[in-house]
Each structure stands twice: as structure tokens, then as C-alpha cells.
Amino acid sequence: MQTLNVWLDARSYPIHVGAGLLGRSELILTLLKVPAVAIVSNQTIAPLYLSTLADGLRAGGVRIAEIILPDGEQHKNWQTLNHIYDALLENRCERATTVIALGGGVIGDLAGFAAATYQRGVPFIQIPTTLLAQVDSSVGGKTGINHPLGKNMIGAFWQPRLVLADTDTLKTLPDRELRAGLAEVIKYGLIRDLPFFEWLEANIERLLARDGDALTYAIQRSCVNKAEVVAADEREAGERALLNLGHTFGHAIEAGLGYGEWLHGEAVAAGTQMAGELSRRLGWLGSSDCARVAGLFERAGLPVRGPRLGADRYLELMALDKKVSAGRLRLVLLKRIGLGVVSAEAGESDIRAAIEACCHD
Ligand code: NAD
Ligand code: GLY
């Protein structure tokens, strides 16, 4: 097991990465205020992993409420959140009960928002089971739900007390989900870590083949990057916005097509290519580097073109982005590979052109 930390003063917490961690209940038991937890998972993940986690905790004397949700991005909404509150109340969960998210980013975001708001905030632990969740969504405390008009528009910052990334869980992850997670891994290389981007170029096939050492390295290196950014800017006053490379375009794809049609990572990949193309038009990213970015996404089996929603529709959806300030769209762009910037410099005509250039015919 490898451990790194997210440094946030009294709210600092460890991220453990390694094989077989689900059964290591002592890592959780030592953190519980009272021997009671609510495990939030879904109908796909619970049959695979809930008993390993729950058996260990029960053997340690912990009372467990199991809250099993329907699977899918389309359920990351108010109705499902309310179902979690119902279950927490029905099981008489108290203010010291710890909410544990066992699943991908959808479960982590939902359970985390429930933990942030139930009785004005209860302890929270993340046990991410997708690559995307292990490298990104379980770290940093962003929680929330989608609104039909905009992705992740309702939420709260609520840091977990622990992130437990058991790499064994990735063995059952569908290929398409593994590839989607790679979009967020590549993101760290693009915004702030050129050597990591070069490592990914050299090792992408090992990752796709689920080589354990390569996956563990990519997870750790991603988490180091994310932990540094979050420690410097927890509430996204500045640098943290870089983690949204490709997301403004990507969220428009997800909301425009209907949540769940494209995976989040797929939308981020196509959105990143749009951001790259826009950066090229602004004279920042060179044409060969733009092609290099597309090359890595394509080798990872990810889309580099978005659906043809029409530039008007993209812009309408992008106007609801959380980075909009005083009505002006701010986008994460690339000065070069390894150096992201948040910029309001791009004019509407360039944004339209970049979208059109990166959409399917
Ligand atoms: P997901 O949670 O929908 O999981 C993907 C699919 O894989 C689901 O069907 C799930 O049931 C299944 N699954 C999960 N683990 C499995 C396993 N080990 N074996 C087999 N199947 C498994 O999707 P995701 O890609 O993990 O997360 C995407 C979500 O995360 C989006 O809603 C996105 O907005 C959010 N997100 C949040 C943050 C953040 O900082 N909070 C960051 C990035 C993304
Ligand atoms: N995934 C973006 C962030 O955590 O800020």
C-alpha cells in the first residue's frame, strides 16, 4: 500500500492506493467516531464488493446501514439524493455516523453531498472503484448532483476523512469505463505535468492492458497532482479551475445529449480536443502538439470529436458553466502541453470555430 496526503490543516486526510485494501477494515475502524456507518453503493457494485467491506467492519463491531442506489449518471439527481436522506433517517443515523461511498464518481458525488448536508454534515469516507474516481473524483471534496439544465450545478465542498483506492476493484471495470478514466489521467499531464504526459505516451498500452504496476503508478501520480492543486486552492478561487480542462465543452456534451449517453470521461476527451483547438487558434498550442494530444486520446480509445449539437446549443449550455464570471465565459486552455491556463481571452467566433472543427461530420 502506498499513502499520500491531501494537506488541508485540520481537515488533512490520507489517500491509500494498493491491492486488497477493501478487506483492510482497520484503516477505517480507527477513524470512526462511533461504531456506525452508512455505506452508499449501487446495484452493480454492491454485489461485487459490499460484502468484503461490510464483513470486515461488522467483525470490528460496526453497525451498518446499506443504501443501494440505481446505477447511472441519469440517477445523479435530486430524487436519488432524497432516497439517501430517507434511508439515513429510517436507519436512525446520527451526526457521528460515517457515510462511506463505495463506487464510482456518481456514487461518490451523491454520497458526499448527502454527507455534507445530512444533519448539517457528517463524517465521510471515499472508497472509489472506477479509475476515474480513483484518480480524480474521490479526492478534493467536490460533491453534488446534476440539474436538467446543467451538470454538477448543485453541490458542496465536503472533504472525506480517508480515500481508499483498492486497485483490485479495477479488474471488474468494463473496458469503456477504464478508457473514460484515462481522460482524467491525461488531463494532469496536459495542465501541469509534462513528464507524466510523456510517461503516458510511452505506457498507454500497459494501462489499457491493466498492468498492475502501471495502473498503480498512474493513480498515484494523478493523486499527487490533484492533492497539490487542492491543497493550494481548495475552493477553486484560482488554480483548481485548471482541473476542469475540457469540462466546459464536455459538460455541454453530457447535458446536451442527456446524462448517461456519453460517459463523463469520453465527453472530457472530446472537450479537451476542443480546448486544444481553441488554444491553437489563439496561437498558444502548436499544430503538432494539438495533433499529439489527439494522438494520445485516440490511442486510449477515447473520442476526439464531439456530437454535432450545433455551436449555438454548445454555447447555450456552456453559458451555465460554474466558471462564468460577470457573464463572461472563462475556459481552461493550453499554453503548451504541461501548462494550462484559465482564460477569458477567446472570442465567441473562435470558440464557435473550435467547436465546429472538433465535431463529427
Ligand atoms: P460511474 O460512477 O457512473 O461508474 C461507471 C460505471 O462503472 C457504473 O456503471 C458503475 O456502476 C460501474 N462500476 C464502478 N466500479 C466498478 C467496478 N469496480 N467494477 C465494475 N463496474 C464498476 O462513473 P465514473 O466515471 O466513476 O464517475 C463519473 C462521475 O464523476 C460524473 O458524474 C462526474 O461528474 C463525476 N466527477 C466528479 C469529480 C469530483 O471532483 N467530484 C471529478 C470528476 C468526475
Ligand atoms: N474534478 C475537478 C475538481 O475536483 O476540481
Side-chain angles (χ1 to χ4, degrees):
M1 177 176 93
Q2 320 248 5
T3 300
L4 55 127
N5 292 286
V6 182
W7 296 114
L8 291 167
D9 298 320
R11 290 172 298 109
S12 299
Y13 53 93
I15 304 169
H16 299 308
V17 182
L21 300 189
L22 265 185
R24 298 273 307 271
S25 53
E26 77 280 6
L27 297 170
I28 297 174
L29 290 170
T30 50
L31 294 177
L32 300 183
K33 286 184 170 181
V34 296
V37 302
I39 302 177
V40 181
S41 192
N42 76 21
Q43 287 159 346
T44 306
I45 301 152
L48 294 168
Y49 299 115
L50 182 58
S51 62
T52 307
L53 174 65
D55 289 353
L57 292 173
R58 278 201 190 93
V62 177
R63 188 168 67 86
I64 299 175
E66 298 178 358
I67 305 175
I68 310 303
L69 306 176
D71 186 3
E73 182 76 37
Q74 66 276 26
H75 298 292
K76 192 175 136 179
N77 58 23
W78 194 254
Q79 289 76 11
T80 311
L81 181 68
N82 213 32
H83 179 77
I84 303 178
Y85 295 136
D86 290 347
L88 291 171
L89 287 162
E90 282 158 13
N91 284 281
R92 301 190 190 288
C93 293
E94 301 170 358
R95 201 170 246 174
T97 301
T98 295
V99 170
I100 300 180
L102 174 68
V106 169
I107 289 296
D109 282 10
L110 273 162
F113 190 33
T117 45
Y118 182 68
Q119 299 201 10
R120 301 201 181 86
V122 298
F124 177 46
I125 287 176
Q126 286 268 19
I127 306 189
T129 61
T130 62
L131 180 61
L132 185 139
Q134 294 188 354
V135 300
D136 190 352
S137 62
S138 65
V139 176
K142 279 191 183 174
T143 72
I145 56 173
N146 300 326
H147 186 281
L149 294 179
K151 174 116 172 117
N152 293 336
M153 276 295 158
I154 324 284
F157 287 97
W158 194 247
Q159 298 294 343
R161 306 263 165 125
L162 163 73
V163 177
L164 209 59
D166 184 340
T167 50
D168 279 344
T169 61
L170 300 180
K171 289 178 182 158
T172 54
L173 194 65
D175 282 339
R176 187 178 168 200
E177 299 291 350
L178 185 84
R179 291 195 294 269
L182 288 172
E184 302 280 19
V185 175
I186 294 169
K187 169 185 82 179
Y188 295 111
L190 288 172
I191 58 170
R192 69 194 305 272
D193 192 349
L194 175 61
F196 187 35
F197 185 85
E198 289 165 344
W199 182 89
L200 289 166
E201 287 184 311
N203 289 279
I204 196 76
E205 279 77 23
R206 285 177 69 204
L207 292 170
L208 289 165
R210 300 178 196 232
D211 175 298
D213 290 341
L215 277 173
T216 302
Y217 178 75
I219 293 164
Q220 264 182 277
R221 183 83 174 233
S222 299
C223 286
V224 166
N225 272 295
K226 179 134 191 194
E228 284 176 4
V229 173
V230 169
D233 178 23
E234 182 186 7
R235 295 273 170 148
E236 202 169 302
E239 183 186 355
R240 184 164 181 172
L242 293 176
L243 297 173
N244 292 319
L245 175 67
H247 285 56
T248 305
F249 298 100
H251 287 170
I253 295 172
E254 289 185 83
L257 288 178
Y259 299 117
E261 189 65 32
W262 276 40
L263 301 183
H264 176 70
E266 293 169 343
V268 165
T272 298
Q273 207 54 44
M274 291 175 184
E277 170 62 16
L278 187 52
S279 308
R280 188 191 68 74
R281 283 171 186 270
L282 291 174
W284 296 343
L285 194 66
S287 297
S288 60
D289 274 349
C290 211
R292 195 174 157 195
V293 176
L296 184 55
F297 279 129
E298 281 174 333
R299 284 172 62 206
L302 285 161
V304 291
R305 288 184 181 277
R308 195 161 278 289
L309 305 175
D312 284 344
R313 181 71 177 133
Y314 270 94
L315 287 169
E316 184 186 12
L317 289 159
M318 288 164 66
L320 283 170
D321 189 80
K322 291 191 286 304
K323 286 184 295 306
V324 169
S325 175
R328 194 158 170 82
L329 190 56
R330 295 181 312 132
L331 292 165
V332 184
L333 300 174
L334 295 172
K335 286 279 182 184
R336 54 179 162 75
I337 293 177
L339 185 61
V341 284
V342 181
S343 168
E345 263 185 62
E348 189 180 313
S349 62
D350 274 329
I351 299 174
R352 280 178 182 277
I355 291 169
E356 294 294 351
C358 298
C359 276
H360 281 294
D361 295 326

